[in-house]
Amino acid sequence: MLAAALLAILGVVNHVRFVRSGPDSTWAARYFDTDNPKELRNLPFAQLPGAVMLAMWAVMLAYTRVSGQETWDAVMGLFLFASFVFGGVAVKRLYRPPRRAKP
């Protein structure tokens, strides 16, 4: 639970740093370096949806740990499956980032 929460916070912080850094940043230079693998070059575009997915996992894990009700635990299971939508968006952006977001 703690690892998911920390990775979610790290993903949001890195996304904000990437957006604010502009075209002269190291991420932009890494994007235009064709020697790097495609996954590494497109990583900043997948950080925010990945962070949302991990935050949803952290909430689900924290709630099921303190809850004792089976009904709400089942609802949190559905919440877990809903988080996979954000994971799919993250994987899609890892291989095909949106054109408007590219440096």
Side-chain angles (χ1 to χ4, degrees), residues 57-89:
W57 287 6
V59 167
M60 186 269 313
L61 290 170
Y63 186 79
T64 55
R65 186 172 196 117
V66 298
S67 173
Q69 301 174 353
E70 292 180 15
T71 306
W72 284 109
D73 290 346
V75 170
M76 285 295 118
L78 294 174
F79 190 68
L80 173 70
F81 285 116
S83 73
F84 292 143
V85 172
F86 290 100
V89 170

Side-chain angles (χ1 to χ4, degrees), residues 2-24:
L2 184 61
L6 290 175
L7 286 172
I9 291 169
L10 181 67
V12 169
V13 168
N14 277 338
H15 175 75
V16 170
R17 287 180 52 212
F18 171 68
V19 169
R20 290 187 177 187
S21 63
D24 296 330

Side-chain angles (χ1 to χ4, degrees), residues 46-59:
Q47 284 180 347
L48 187 61
V52 171
M53 180 187 73
L54 289 171
M56 290 174 78
W57 287 6
V59 167

Side-chain angles (χ1 to χ4, degrees), residues 22-65:
D24 296 330
S25 70
T26 56
W27 279 108
R30 204 173 288 157
Y31 177 76
F32 290 113
D33 185 12
T34 57
D35 292 336
N36 288 331
K38 188 177 193 179
E39 294 82 12
L40 181 63
R41 293 187 305 154
N42 295 333
L43 183 63
F45 305 113
Q47 284 180 347
L48 187 61
V52 171
M53 180 187 73
L54 289 171
M56 290 174 78
W57 287 6
V59 167
M60 186 269 313
L61 290 170
Y63 186 79
T64 55
R65 186 172 196 117

